[in-house]
Amino acid sequence: MNDRILFSLILLSIGCCFDAVRTTKNEEIQKFTIQMIGYSPQKTDDYVAVSVEATPGYVVGFEPMAHADRVHHMLLYGCTMPASDQGFWRGMETCGWGGGSYILYAWARNAPNLVLPKDVAFSVGHEQDGIKYFVLQVHYAQPFAGEVHDFSGVTMHISQRKPMNLAAVMLFVSGTPIPPQLPAFQNNITCMFSSSTPIHPFAFRTHTHAMGRLVSAFFKHDGHWTKIGKRNPQWPQLFEAIPSKLTIGKGDQMSASCRFDSMDKNRTVNMGAMGVDEMCNFYMMFHYDAKMENPYPQGAICSQDHPNLMKDYPADGFELLPTRPELEHHAHQSKIPFGIVQEAIHEKLGGIKLGQVAGLAFNNQKQLLVFHRAERVWDANTFDNYNILLDKTPIKDPVILVVSFNGNQTRLDKKLGAGKFQLPHGIYVDKDDFVYTTDVGSHTVSKWKIEGEELKNIWTSGESMLPGPDQKHYCKPTGITRIGDQLYVTDGYCNSRVVVLDLNGKFVQQFGLPGEETGQFNLPHDIVSDSQGRILVTDRENGRVQHMTTQGHVIEEFKSTMFNNIYSAASHEDYVFMVPGRPIMGHESEGIAVFVGRSGAGLIEYAFGPATRGKREQMGPQFGQPHCLRVSPDGDQIFVGDIAEGKARLWQFKVQREENMSSMTSSISLGWPSLTQTDAKYNSFFVLLAFAILVLGAYCVRRRCRNLENGGTLFDKRGFKPLRTEETVGFISDGSESD
């Protein structure tokens, strides 16, 4: 990605001041997120960092937001001063000189959430703890393929209640090179504990690169060795609980060892940060009595090698653990660059010129059903002021194209629906191969069965050509999906509700009202289900996707200042894909991207878009007006339907990765309570970081602190909501003129 594109993403984030903080609260817990700025790595082993001023409190949990496909590792530091005052910088520097540097959290190889024990927390943002800034360092192993921008980060759960015990992390690190052609080579580290404040290790994490086979640590008290922990570094690199209570006191010896296999190497491998190097790291998370002095006021690190003190190191610290193929598979880091690559732009399918591509759906044979409008175009002259369609004649051409794909090659298998639709919008295929459609022109929802080359109507719900707000009418219904034995219809342009039907098309219930509060809608434009049997409603003009139960209760919402409208969403595994139909005003030249978040986080994790060719002025085709988005059942392909006037297209993207790997999203609670889920009554939103410190300066810092003290948010979201006009009440079309 070129610097101009990166700078444009940064400009979008500047308007939000310091809203990298998510101030959603549940009881006394505040969520504070620090994220990357939409970065696209420029080289192999690319290190970058972002910083944000620390909010005072006590960190009790960490939620990583990354995947090993994209990110090699992340390190979260607490710093007295960051290495740069720019808010974002390239390079390996984290904390600045002349102050403390404290490791708070580390992530790699798809490690899950981390929750600290009861009455244990990291003190941050206070004068006495030396942590005035958070710095997130992200290591990208290789550049992405395609136009992908990363927003990986960490969400901290912060309490305002001071715990009985304060947490810290000690890093054992070795710099000893590894000779070649050895089945087992040990790197050893030893330090003596000299503080009068006893420490209690309660969790540990190991880290090496590909040659590491085992990392262990023990401490020695009165001549007796006690295990702190040991783990295979090729497994997910989480903080693993220490099952027994340990105490390390003054005069005790602390030692760690890394075992490497260098049989496939023909040269000495040095310790270092690059992929061709190796690492020997053991992270020991410990706590100490909050009333006592900090045993490591400048940060805890052990890097000394004392061979004589390791002579009686326990044999258990060198012995390999039993193999766990499922863990190694989950933690596997792809050797192929992750990317989402533009594979094709289709303006014709089987010789048929595409009209506005309004809807997309996959059937059980993995064919794609393309629901387009042929020669009919929705513009400002399509409806009258009462939402009555002016041209009531059905579209004479086939509007449902059943297509098979082999790479970027297509085969048109069926063409259906000629003379049956006025203005197509949404389409869905259920597990029984029934096809469901919404027609905004006739204000109806229909169920169909494909029989040979014919589309047979099973039933139609709603009174054709007559819009209305009651149980027997719709007004420009937009999307439909099935969960269990019920259908969920977004009755979008006028009624701003979700209507629930049984499989015979009979009304069951409805939920939702016009508005911008949680559970309300301003043009629900699309609806899909997730793998857990919940719904995702694209709340178009509120610029969000609401993740809801089938009863209409909001679980979370996806919202960002990078977009102010969302036209369509799709779900695959635990990821949510969403696409705006219009760029933010003032940023039209930068185009539109597809944004991807993870279920349970409510935050954007990465974004992608059409391929670029060199500088922005020399780019290829860009999204015109994306209207619908769907992901193939195997997750390998993504299709976007475009309704831009004169440029109706079907965009095809290929997900590039070594293999499909499901994400581990459960919390590792170390035997203690898991992270508290966000209360549904609070809106969740995220805003990018990037250059806010430099641009807005001390004024925003002061305002930020005052807002946090008062429990408020840091940014007035109203400035990014669309203006409420008569059009947003019921006269919005898909056409660019009305939008």
Side-chain angles (χ1 to χ4, degrees), residues 597-627:
R598 190 179 302 201
S599 178
L603 297 170
I604 304 303
E605 199 164 306
Y606 66 94
F608 69 91
T612 60
R613 295 183 175 90
K615 296 183 179 180
R616 204 68 179 173
E617 295 81 359
Q618 301 168 343
M619 289 174 59
Q622 297 296 295
F623 286 140
Q625 190 175 1
H627 189 266

Side-chain angles (χ1 to χ4, degrees), residues 67-72 107-111 142 210 233-237 324-336 657-662 664:
H67 196 282
D69 276 350
R70 302 190 312 277
V71 174
H72 181 274
W107 174 94
R109 295 184 178 272
N110 295 327
Q142 49 198 341
Q234 304 308 319
W235 297 348
Q237 293 181 2
R324 295 285 301 276
E326 75 283 4
L327 291 180
E328 294 175 22
H329 172 77
H330 177 78
H332 176 73
Q333 291 181 313
S334 175
K335 296 179 181 178
I336 297 175
R657 54 190 168 187
E658 193 168 32
E659 57 182 331
N660 290 330
M661 295 183 293
S662 59
M664 182 187 295

Side-chain angles (χ1 to χ4, degrees), residues 594-668:
V594 176
F595 297 90
V596 186
R598 190 179 302 201
S599 178
L603 297 170
I604 304 303
E605 199 164 306
Y606 66 94
F608 69 91
T612 60
R613 295 183 175 90
K615 296 183 179 180
R616 204 68 179 173
E617 295 81 359
Q618 301 168 343
M619 289 174 59
Q622 297 296 295
F623 286 140
Q625 190 175 1
H627 189 266
C628 51
L629 164 74
R630 291 297 181 262
V631 181
S632 63
D634 59 10
D636 285 347
Q637 290 184 312
I638 300 164
F639 293 87
V640 177
D642 201 322
I643 63 168
E645 186 174 357
K647 296 181 179 179
R649 295 166 170 167
L650 177 65
W651 298 80
Q652 181 181 353
F653 295 88
K654 173 72 175 177
V655 180
Q656 178 173 299
R657 54 190 168 187
E658 193 168 32
E659 57 182 331
N660 290 330
M661 295 183 293
S662 59
S663 302
M664 182 187 295
T665 57
S666 59
S667 298
I668 297 298

Side-chain angles (χ1 to χ4, degrees), residues 89-387:
W89 61 94
R90 296 181 173 93
M92 297 177 61
E93 294 80 10
T94 53
C95 297
W97 293 101
S101 175
Y102 310 89
I103 296 173
L104 300 178
Y105 178 71
W107 174 94
R109 295 184 178 272
N110 295 327
N113 299 343
L114 171 68
V115 187
L116 302 191
K118 185 179 180 180
D119 268 328
V120 175
F122 288 88
S123 176
V124 298
H126 305 108
E127 188 66 31
Q128 65 273 19
D129 57 47
I131 296 176
K132 296 182 179 180
Y133 292 87
F134 296 125
V135 173
L136 177 69
Q137 181 195 73
V138 180
H139 173 201
Y140 298 97
Q142 49 198 341
F144 300 141
E147 186 70 15
V148 178
H149 312 281
D150 186 60
F151 300 96
S152 293
V154 177
T155 295
M156 289 166 276
H157 286 226
I158 299 179
S159 170
Q160 295 305 313
R161 182 179 65 85
K162 185 175 181 178
M164 296 175 60
N165 301 284
L166 296 178
V169 174
M170 183 172 196
L171 172 62
F172 295 80
V173 56
S174 172
T176 304
I178 305 168
Q181 300 293 306
L182 294 176
F185 179 79
Q186 300 294 146
N187 269 15
N188 300 321
I189 312 147
T190 293
C191 288
M192 305 302 294
F193 186 70
S194 59
S195 174
S196 58
T197 301
I199 62 174
H200 307 280
F202 65 89
F204 71 95
R205 173 185 180 267
T206 64
H207 178 74
T208 70
H209 291 169
M211 295 167 60
R213 298 295 178 264
L214 182 76
V215 183
S216 67
F218 288 72
F219 74 94
K220 188 177 183 180
H221 174 77
D222 288 342
H224 174 73
W225 288 97
T226 299
K227 182 167 68 175
I228 300 171
K230 75 173 190 176
R231 187 175 175 86
N232 184 338
Q234 304 308 319
W235 297 348
Q237 293 181 2
L238 52 82
F239 276 96
E240 183 175 325
I242 297 172
S244 56
K245 184 175 181 179
L246 305 179
T247 301
I248 299 176
K250 188 172 184 177
D252 289 346
Q253 175 183 334
M254 301 176 295
S255 297
S257 181
C258 298
R259 176 172 172 171
F260 297 97
D261 182 345
S262 63
M263 286 298 292
D264 63 343
K265 305 299 179 184
N266 54 18
R267 63 170 183 84
T268 296
V269 177
N270 294 317
M271 291 290 156
M274 302 302 161
V276 296
D277 301 324
E278 258 300 341
M279 284 187 170
C280 171
N281 294 343
F282 185 94
Y283 296 83
M284 182 181 75
M285 194 173 283
F286 63 89
H287 66 77
Y288 61 94
D289 191 323
K291 296 188 294 292
M292 301 186 71
E293 290 186 1
N294 185 343
Y296 294 101
Q298 297 301 314
I301 187 168
C302 176
S303 59
Q304 304 167 24
D305 182 9
H306 296 285
N308 291 335
L309 297 178
M310 290 286 290
K311 288 181 178 179
D312 60 342
Y313 191 77
D316 182 36
F318 302 129
E319 294 174 359
L320 298 179
L321 291 163
T323 58
R324 295 285 301 276
E326 75 283 4
L327 291 180
E328 294 175 22
H329 172 77
H330 177 78
H332 176 73
Q333 291 181 313
S334 175
K335 296 179 181 178
I336 297 175
F338 171 81
I340 299 182
V341 180
Q342 181 180 308
E343 197 165 34
I345 304 173
H346 305 283
E347 297 183 352
K348 292 183 178 181
L349 292 174
I352 296 178
K353 186 177 186 304
L354 291 174
Q356 293 181 325
V357 182
L360 299 169
F362 282 93
N363 64 16
N364 297 299
Q365 291 73 45
K366 299 182 180 179
Q367 296 166 303
L368 180 67
L369 278 67
V370 179
F371 201 27
H372 75 123
R373 295 172 181 158
E375 296 299 323
R376 184 155 295 174
V377 175
W378 185 356
D379 58 25
N381 301 314
T382 302
F383 292 89
D384 68 13
N385 289 338
Y386 300 97
N387 296 306

Side-chain angles (χ1 to χ4, degrees), residues 660-694:
N660 290 330
M661 295 183 293
S662 59
S663 302
M664 182 187 295
T665 57
S666 59
S667 298
I668 297 298
S669 64
L670 306 184
W672 307 298
S674 61
L675 287 175
T676 306
Q677 293 296 318
T678 303
D679 194 312
K681 69 180 180 180
Y682 291 103
N683 290 338
S684 64
F685 65 96
F686 102 100
V687 194
L688 292 176
L689 175 54
F691 289 161
I693 296 173
L694 176 64

Side-chain angles (χ1 to χ4, degrees), residues 13-21 32 52-55 133 688-709 712-716:
S13 71
I14 287 176
C16 57
C17 190
F18 283 93
D19 240 30
V21 182
F32 187 111
V52 64
E53 187 185 3
T55 182
Y133 292 87
L688 292 176
L689 175 54
F691 289 161
I693 296 173
L694 176 64
V695 178
L696 298 177
Y699 168 76
C700 279
V701 174
R702 292 193 295 270
R703 190 180 77 168
R704 175 176 181 270
C705 293
R706 289 198 298 270
N707 274 310
L708 286 174
E709 290 169 0
T713 62
L714 305 182
F715 168 62
D716 185 0

